[in-house]
Amino acid sequence: MISSALDGKMTPGPREITSNPRLSDKFFRAIVTSFGFSALIILTLIGAFLAVRGFQIFKSEGLHFITGFKWDVTIDDAGEVTYDMGIGAMLVGTILISTVALVVGVPLSISVALFLTFYAPIRIRTFLISIVDLMAAFPSVLFGLWGYFVLMPMATYWSKLLYKYLNWIPIFDAPEKFFERSPFIAGLVLAIMIIPIVTSVSREVFAQTPLDRVQAAYALGATRWGMIRTVVLPFGTNGVIGGAMLGLGRAFGETVAVYTILNLVFRPNWHILYGAGGNIASLIILKWGEATDLETNALLAAGFVLFLMTLGVNMGANFIVGRTLKSGK
Amino acid sequence: MENPDLLEEKIMSTDPNPAASSSAKPNSLGDISATRQANRQPGNRPLGSGLEARGIHAWFGKNHVLEDVSLDFAAGTVTALIGPSGCGKSTFIRTLNRMHEFIPGAAMAGEVLLDGKDVYDPGIDVTKIRLQIGMVFQKPNPFPSMTIGENVLSGIKLAQLKVDNKDDLLEECLVRAGLWSEVKDRLGAHAGGLSGGQQQRLCIARALAVKPKVLLMDEPCSALDPGSTLRIEDTIVELAKNITIVIVTHNMQQAARVSDYTSFFLSDGGPGQMIEVGPTSQIFSRPVDQRTENYVSGRFG
């Protein structure tokens, strides 16, 4: 009975709930929306610009642009342009320097973050956090100059020690005993430069450690370090990885500091202590001033490769950090 | 109000063996308690260690939350702390193993004596204190990144204790916590997959693994269903044979079922105070203080 009565009834479609916004609301919404998308639009336009200008090079050089080690452009007497351009050496250098930066910088940053979260008295904590944040705003050319004049003499000595005792490990070997302006020293400066970002992401994640687990560890007679090892680090691993990847993004793109220190050489060098290396961003700034049209396009193509690398690393980092903060694991 | 010290002394002196006097209780809650106490083997006592709190005050910032609480926890007894929310029971229990000091702005006064030694003595290693005075929290808090087995042994690892046979210890603790039969085939599984009641018993097993002399339980069943609650109460009764237990509970039936002594806390808007302590059967049948009477008879709270 009831069902048949219901059957006879027309089921209404879901009602659309709307209300006419005021003019001021509309206006404000339009402004906020357009600004909200501006970052995406600007980034897309830059990427598109790099891709379009670099297209010619990608087409003529193909994969060789990535794997080639030479950077030659010659114009013969007849005005014929021959070129052989590859960013392989620069890619190798970028990876090498960034690896040094991560290996040195991430443990430092984790220690700083742990100290700030669990050890520092509150007043010192606030002060130190602002100092670390200030490091992020510090101009990179000054890091570069400091690295060149202050750090390099010391780091050259450390390089010699490393070479003396560890040269049986391939990456610590060197073809000549020339240790200045090496990827190792550039990586050390970069390590300092990535500390703020890695520290602040790690700190944020460490501070989210569930209190009940912290208490559980303490109630079992854990020391502070024991608690950190058992509870905080397992909880924060993803956050630290994400922070490190954001730092890696910064290390990939760092230009001036590396350019100041590194001896740019167009050949592949896997020896971190040896004073020869490369970095895509430094390549661009090195060649920019004297570049022909064609070479400019090649530099923009190199920029596009860097753009993609940085984009990929940053997106991966955001994904990993976001997963930790959401899942609470 | 009466001096709790004197009151306590009086009770202790007139009633050295609660099991003997409880047989006279007319109250039904008292009867449950009497049964439980009669089941106890007197020969097993005293085990564990005695704990004495003397003149405990507690503050959060400028907020005075606990005023002059003195309580004796005799070795091998179960003491229940009851009282309405906000009366300072949990704060009090957390001063006993020095968990109180983790809260920013928290302060305390008074002494807590474990085997006659002040646990707040500057020369004492606080991690050793927490090893001897274990704690089970309101919300089950196993370490989710560890397996069931690793959770139980986590205290051993944290305190770097030497154990001859970890497998034996693992089994012993899980058996004592009443969880062994349910998890023995999946000790390598992650603890997050257990039910709430199982997780809480896992936390009890974890607390037992470091062989504490005293076990503090802060409303251990408040997040659990009645079935799990009963399992944990059985566990408590079982554990009480050789360990001193202090349990905070909102559930008066639970206090009656598991405890030898009951202490009533109350706050009249000011700092929480300990109103009365005595053998559980007496607190529930003929309490000295009118306020206790009102609370246990369900007139407020």
Coordinates of all heavy atoms in Angstrom, one line a residue, chain B residues 176-240:
Chain B
R176 N 50.2 -12.2 31.2 CA 49.7 -11.5 32.4 C 48.8 -10.4 32.0 O 47.9 -10.0 32.8 CB 50.9 -10.9 33.1 CG 51.8 -11.9 33.9 CD 53.0 -11.3 34.5 NE 52.7 -10.4 35.7 CZ 53.5 -9.6 36.2 NH1 54.7 -9.4 35.7 NH2 53.2 -8.9 37.3
A177 N 48.9 -9.8 30.8 CA 48.0 -8.8 30.4 C 46.7 -9.3 29.8 O 45.8 -8.6 29.4 CB 48.7 -7.8 29.4
G178 N 46.7 -10.7 29.7 CA 45.4 -11.3 29.2 C 45.3 -11.2 27.7 O 44.2 -11.2 27.2
L179 N 46.4 -11.1 27.0 CA 46.3 -10.9 25.6 C 46.9 -12.0 24.8 O 46.7 -12.1 23.6 CB 47.0 -9.5 25.2 CG 46.8 -9.0 23.8 CD1 45.3 -8.7 23.5 CD2 47.6 -7.7 23.6
W180 N 47.7 -12.9 25.5 CA 48.5 -13.8 24.8 C 47.7 -14.7 23.8 O 48.1 -14.8 22.6 CB 49.2 -14.7 25.8 CG 50.0 -15.9 25.2 CD1 49.7 -17.2 25.3 CD2 51.2 -15.8 24.4 NE1 50.6 -17.9 24.6 CE2 51.6 -17.1 24.0 CE3 52.0 -14.7 24.0 CZ2 52.7 -17.3 23.3 CZ3 53.1 -14.9 23.2 CH2 53.4 -16.2 22.9
S181 N 46.6 -15.3 24.2 CA 45.9 -16.2 23.4 C 45.3 -15.5 22.1 O 45.2 -16.1 21.1 CB 44.7 -16.8 24.1 OG 43.9 -15.8 24.6
E182 N 45.1 -14.2 22.2 CA 44.6 -13.5 21.0 C 45.6 -13.1 20.0 O 45.3 -12.9 18.9 CB 43.8 -12.2 21.5 CG 42.5 -12.6 22.2 CD 42.0 -11.4 23.1 OE1 41.7 -10.3 22.6 OE2 41.9 -11.6 24.3
V183 N 46.9 -12.9 20.5 CA 47.9 -12.4 19.5 C 49.0 -13.3 19.3 O 49.9 -13.0 18.5 CB 48.4 -11.0 20.0 CG1 47.3 -10.0 20.1 CG2 49.2 -11.1 21.3
K184 N 49.0 -14.5 19.9 CA 50.3 -15.3 19.9 C 50.7 -15.7 18.5 O 51.8 -15.9 18.2 CB 50.1 -16.5 20.8 CG 49.1 -17.5 20.3 CD 49.0 -18.7 21.3 CE 48.0 -19.7 20.8 NZ 47.2 -20.2 21.9
D185 N 49.6 -15.7 17.6 CA 50.0 -16.1 16.2 C 50.3 -15.0 15.3 O 50.6 -15.1 14.1 CB 48.8 -16.9 15.6 CG 48.4 -18.1 16.4 OD1 49.4 -18.8 16.8 OD2 47.3 -18.5 16.5
R186 N 50.2 -13.7 15.8 CA 50.5 -12.6 15.0 C 51.4 -11.6 15.7 O 51.1 -10.4 15.7 CB 49.3 -12.0 14.4 CG 48.2 -11.8 15.4 CD 47.0 -11.0 14.8 NE 45.9 -10.9 15.8 CZ 45.1 -10.0 15.9 NH1 45.1 -9.0 15.0 NH2 44.1 -9.9 16.7
L187 N 52.4 -12.0 16.4 CA 53.2 -11.1 17.1 C 54.0 -10.1 16.2 O 54.4 -9.1 16.6 CB 54.3 -11.9 18.0 CG 53.6 -12.7 19.1 CD1 54.7 -13.6 19.7 CD2 53.0 -11.8 20.1
G188 N 54.1 -10.6 14.9 CA 54.9 -9.7 14.0 C 54.0 -8.7 13.3 O 54.4 -7.9 12.5
A189 N 52.6 -8.7 13.6 CA 51.7 -7.8 13.0 C 51.8 -6.4 13.6 O 52.2 -6.3 14.8 CB 50.3 -8.3 13.0
H190 N 51.4 -5.4 12.9 CA 51.5 -4.1 13.5 C 50.4 -3.9 14.5 O 49.2 -4.4 14.4 CB 51.4 -3.0 12.4 CG 52.7 -2.8 11.8 ND1 53.5 -1.7 12.2 CD2 53.4 -3.5 10.8 CE1 54.7 -1.8 11.5 NE2 54.6 -2.8 10.7
A191 N 50.7 -3.1 15.5 CA 49.8 -3.0 16.7 C 48.6 -2.2 16.3 O 47.5 -2.3 17.0 CB 50.6 -2.2 17.8
G192 N 48.6 -1.4 15.3 CA 47.5 -0.6 14.9 C 46.3 -1.5 14.5 O 45.1 -1.0 14.5
G193 N 46.5 -2.7 14.1 CA 45.4 -3.6 13.7 C 44.6 -4.2 14.8 O 43.6 -4.8 14.6
L194 N 45.0 -4.0 16.1 CA 44.3 -4.5 17.2 C 43.1 -3.6 17.6 O 43.0 -2.5 17.2 CB 45.2 -4.6 18.4 CG 46.4 -5.5 18.3 CD1 47.3 -5.4 19.5 CD2 46.0 -7.0 18.1
S195 N 42.1 -4.2 18.2 CA 40.9 -3.4 18.7 C 41.4 -2.6 19.9 O 42.5 -2.8 20.4 CB 39.8 -4.4 19.2 OG 40.2 -5.0 20.4
G196 N 40.5 -1.6 20.2 CA 40.9 -0.7 21.3 C 41.2 -1.4 22.6 O 42.2 -1.1 23.3
G197 N 40.4 -2.4 23.0 CA 40.6 -3.2 24.2 C 41.9 -4.0 24.1 O 42.7 -4.0 25.1
Q198 N 42.2 -4.5 23.0 CA 43.4 -5.3 22.8 C 44.6 -4.3 22.9 O 45.6 -4.7 23.5 CB 43.4 -6.0 21.5 CG 42.5 -7.2 21.4 CD 42.3 -7.8 20.0 OE1 42.4 -7.1 19.0 NE2 42.1 -9.1 20.0
Q199 N 44.5 -3.2 22.3 CA 45.6 -2.2 22.3 C 45.9 -1.8 23.8 O 47.0 -1.7 24.2 CB 45.2 -1.0 21.5 CG 45.3 -1.2 20.0 CD 45.2 0.1 19.2 OE1 45.3 1.2 19.8 NE2 45.0 0.0 17.9
Q200 N 44.8 -1.6 24.5 CA 45.0 -1.2 25.9 C 45.7 -2.3 26.7 O 46.6 -2.1 27.5 CB 43.7 -0.8 26.6 CG 43.8 -0.2 27.9 CD 44.5 1.2 27.9 OE1 45.6 1.3 27.4 NE2 43.9 2.2 28.4
R201 N 45.3 -3.6 26.5 CA 46.0 -4.7 27.1 C 47.5 -4.8 26.6 O 48.4 -5.2 27.4 CB 45.2 -6.0 26.9 CG 44.1 -6.1 28.0 CD 43.3 -7.4 27.7 NE 42.3 -7.2 26.7 CZ 41.9 -8.1 25.9 NH1 42.4 -9.4 26.0 NH2 41.1 -7.9 24.9
L202 N 47.7 -4.5 25.4 CA 49.0 -4.4 24.9 C 49.9 -3.4 25.6 O 51.0 -3.6 26.0 CB 49.0 -4.1 23.4 CG 50.4 -4.0 22.7 CD1 51.1 -5.3 22.7 CD2 50.3 -3.6 21.2
C203 N 49.2 -2.3 25.9 CA 49.9 -1.2 26.6 C 50.2 -1.7 28.1 O 51.3 -1.3 28.6 CB 49.1 0.1 26.7 SG 49.0 0.9 25.1
I204 N 49.3 -2.5 28.6 CA 49.6 -3.0 30.0 C 50.8 -4.0 29.9 O 51.7 -3.9 30.7 CB 48.3 -3.7 30.5 CG1 47.2 -2.7 30.8 CG2 48.6 -4.4 31.8 CD1 45.9 -3.2 31.2
A205 N 50.8 -4.8 28.9 CA 51.9 -5.8 28.7 C 53.2 -5.0 28.5 O 54.2 -5.4 29.1 CB 51.6 -6.7 27.5
R206 N 53.1 -3.9 27.8 CA 54.3 -3.1 27.6 C 54.8 -2.5 28.9 O 56.1 -2.5 29.1 CB 54.0 -2.0 26.6 CG 55.1 -1.1 26.2 CD 54.7 -0.1 25.1 NE 53.7 0.8 25.7 CZ 53.1 1.8 25.0 NH1 53.3 1.9 23.7 NH2 52.3 2.6 25.5
A207 N 53.9 -2.1 29.7 CA 54.3 -1.5 31.0 C 54.9 -2.6 31.9 O 55.8 -2.3 32.7 CB 53.1 -0.8 31.6
L208 N 54.4 -3.8 31.8 CA 54.8 -4.9 32.7 C 56.2 -5.4 32.3 O 56.9 -5.9 33.2 CB 53.8 -6.1 32.6 CG 52.5 -5.8 33.2 CD1 51.6 -7.0 33.0 CD2 52.6 -5.5 34.7
A209 N 56.6 -5.2 31.0 CA 57.8 -5.8 30.6 C 59.1 -5.3 31.3 O 60.1 -6.0 31.4 CB 58.0 -5.6 29.1
V210 N 59.0 -4.1 31.8 CA 60.2 -3.5 32.4 C 60.1 -3.8 33.9 O 60.9 -3.3 34.7 CB 60.3 -2.0 32.2 CG1 60.6 -1.8 30.7 CG2 59.1 -1.3 32.6
K211 N 59.2 -4.7 34.4 CA 59.1 -5.2 35.7 C 58.9 -4.0 36.7 O 59.7 -3.8 37.6 CB 60.3 -6.0 36.2 CG 60.6 -7.1 35.2 CD 59.9 -8.3 35.5 CE 60.3 -9.5 34.5 NZ 59.3 -10.5 34.5
P212 N 57.9 -3.2 36.6 CA 57.7 -2.1 37.5 C 57.2 -2.7 38.9 O 56.7 -3.8 39.0 CB 56.6 -1.3 36.9 CG 55.8 -2.3 36.1 CD 56.8 -3.3 35.6
K213 N 57.5 -1.9 39.9 CA 57.0 -2.3 41.2 C 55.6 -1.7 41.5 O 54.8 -2.2 42.3 CB 57.9 -1.8 42.3 CG 59.3 -2.3 42.2 CD 60.3 -1.6 43.1 CE 61.7 -2.2 43.1 NZ 62.6 -1.3 43.8
V214 N 55.3 -0.6 40.8 CA 54.0 0.0 41.0 C 53.5 0.3 39.6 O 54.2 0.6 38.7 CB 54.2 1.4 41.7 CG1 52.8 2.1 41.9 CG2 54.9 1.2 43.0
L215 N 52.2 0.1 39.4 CA 51.6 0.4 38.1 C 50.5 1.4 38.3 O 49.5 1.2 39.1 CB 51.0 -0.9 37.5 CG 50.5 -0.7 36.0 CD1 51.6 -0.3 35.1 CD2 49.9 -2.0 35.5
L216 N 50.6 2.6 37.6 CA 49.6 3.6 37.7 C 48.7 3.5 36.5 O 49.1 3.3 35.4 CB 50.2 5.0 37.7 CG 51.3 5.2 38.7 CD1 52.0 6.6 38.5 CD2 50.8 5.1 40.1
M217 N 47.4 3.5 36.7 CA 46.4 3.4 35.6 C 45.5 4.6 35.6 O 44.7 4.7 36.6 CB 45.7 2.1 35.7 CG 46.6 0.9 35.8 SD 45.7 -0.7 36.0 CE 45.9 -1.3 34.3
D218 N 45.6 5.4 34.6 CA 44.8 6.6 34.5 C 43.5 6.3 33.7 O 43.6 6.4 32.4 CB 45.6 7.7 33.9 CG 44.9 9.1 34.0 OD1 43.8 9.1 34.5 OD2 45.5 10.1 33.6
E219 N 42.4 6.0 34.3 CA 41.2 5.7 33.6 C 41.4 4.7 32.5 O 41.1 5.0 31.3 CB 40.5 6.9 33.1 CG 40.1 7.9 34.2 CD 39.3 9.1 33.6 OE1 38.5 8.9 32.7 OE2 39.6 10.2 34.1
P220 N 42.0 3.6 32.7 CA 42.4 2.7 31.6 C 41.3 2.1 30.8 O 41.5 1.7 29.7 CB 43.1 1.5 32.3 CG 42.5 1.5 33.7 CD 42.2 2.9 34.0
C221 N 40.0 2.2 31.3 CA 38.9 1.6 30.5 C 38.0 2.6 30.0 O 36.9 2.3 29.5 CB 38.2 0.6 31.4 SG 39.2 -0.6 32.1
S222 N 38.3 3.9 30.2 CA 37.3 4.9 29.8 C 37.0 4.9 28.3 O 35.9 5.4 27.9 CB 37.7 6.3 30.3 OG 38.8 6.7 29.6
A223 N 37.9 4.5 27.5 CA 37.7 4.5 26.0 C 37.3 3.2 25.5 O 37.3 2.9 24.3 CB 39.0 5.0 25.3
L224 N 36.9 2.2 26.4 CA 36.7 0.9 26.0 C 35.2 0.4 26.2 O 34.5 1.0 27.0 CB 37.6 -0.1 26.7 CG 39.1 0.3 26.7 CD1 39.9 -0.7 27.4 CD2 39.5 0.3 25.2
D225 N 34.8 -0.6 25.5 CA 33.5 -1.2 25.6 C 33.4 -2.0 26.9 O 34.5 -2.4 27.4 CB 33.1 -2.0 24.4 CG 34.1 -3.1 24.2 OD1 35.2 -2.9 23.8 OD2 33.6 -4.3 24.6
P226 N 32.2 -2.4 27.3 CA 32.1 -3.2 28.6 C 32.9 -4.5 28.5 O 33.5 -4.9 29.6 CB 30.6 -3.4 28.7 CG 30.0 -2.3 27.9 CD 30.9 -2.0 26.8
G227 N 32.9 -5.2 27.4 CA 33.6 -6.5 27.3 C 35.0 -6.3 27.6 O 35.7 -7.0 28.4
S228 N 35.6 -5.3 26.9 CA 37.1 -5.1 27.1 C 37.4 -4.6 28.5 O 38.4 -5.0 29.1 CB 37.6 -4.0 26.1 OG 37.3 -4.4 24.8
T229 N 36.4 -3.8 29.0 CA 36.6 -3.3 30.4 C 36.7 -4.5 31.4 O 37.6 -4.5 32.2 CB 35.4 -2.4 30.8 OG1 35.4 -1.3 29.9 CG2 35.6 -1.9 32.2
L230 N 35.8 -5.5 31.2 CA 35.9 -6.7 32.1 C 37.2 -7.4 32.0 O 37.8 -7.8 32.9 CB 34.7 -7.6 31.8 CG 33.4 -7.2 32.4 CD1 32.3 -8.2 32.1 CD2 33.6 -7.2 34.0
R231 N 37.7 -7.6 30.7 CA 38.9 -8.2 30.5 C 40.1 -7.5 31.2 O 40.9 -8.2 31.9 CB 39.3 -8.3 29.0 CG 38.3 -9.0 28.1 CD 38.2 -10.5 28.4 NE 39.6 -11.1 28.4 CZ 40.1 -11.7 27.4 NH1 39.4 -11.8 26.3 NH2 41.3 -12.2 27.5
I232 N 40.0 -6.2 31.2 CA 41.1 -5.5 31.8 C 41.0 -5.5 33.3 O 42.0 -5.6 34.0 CB 41.1 -4.0 31.3 CG1 41.6 -4.1 29.8 CG2 42.0 -3.1 32.1 CD1 41.9 -2.8 29.2
E233 N 39.7 -5.5 33.8 CA 39.6 -5.7 35.3 C 40.1 -7.0 35.7 O 40.8 -7.1 36.8 CB 38.1 -5.5 35.6 CG 37.7 -4.0 35.5 CD 36.2 -3.9 35.9 OE1 35.6 -4.8 36.3 OE2 35.7 -2.7 35.7
D234 N 39.8 -8.1 35.0 CA 40.4 -9.4 35.3 C 41.9 -9.3 35.4 O 42.5 -9.8 36.3 CB 40.0 -10.4 34.3 CG 38.5 -10.8 34.4 OD1 37.9 -10.4 35.4 OD2 38.0 -11.4 33.5
T235 N 42.4 -8.6 34.4 CA 43.9 -8.4 34.3 C 44.4 -7.7 35.6 O 45.4 -8.2 36.2 CB 44.3 -7.6 33.1 OG1 43.7 -8.3 31.9 CG2 45.8 -7.5 32.9
I236 N 43.7 -6.7 36.0 CA 44.2 -5.9 37.1 C 44.2 -6.8 38.4 O 45.1 -6.8 39.1 CB 43.2 -4.7 37.4 CG1 43.4 -3.7 36.2 CG2 43.5 -4.0 38.7 CD1 42.4 -2.6 36.2
V237 N 43.1 -7.6 38.6 CA 43.0 -8.5 39.7 C 44.1 -9.5 39.7 O 44.7 -9.7 40.7 CB 41.6 -9.2 39.7 CG1 41.6 -10.3 40.8 CG2 40.5 -8.2 39.9
E238 N 44.4 -9.9 38.5 CA 45.5 -10.9 38.4 C 46.9 -10.3 38.7 O 47.7 -10.8 39.4 CB 45.5 -11.4 36.9 CG 46.2 -12.7 36.7 CD 45.6 -13.8 37.6 OE1 44.4 -13.9 37.9 OE2 46.5 -14.7 37.9
L239 N 47.1 -9.1 38.2 CA 48.3 -8.4 38.4 C 48.6 -8.0 39.9 O 49.7 -8.0 40.3 CB 48.4 -7.1 37.6 CG 48.4 -7.2 36.1 CD1 48.4 -5.8 35.5 CD2 49.7 -7.9 35.7
A240 N 47.5 -7.7 40.5 CA 47.6 -7.2 41.9 C 48.2 -8.2 42.8 O 48.5 -7.9 44.0 CB 46.2 -6.8 42.4

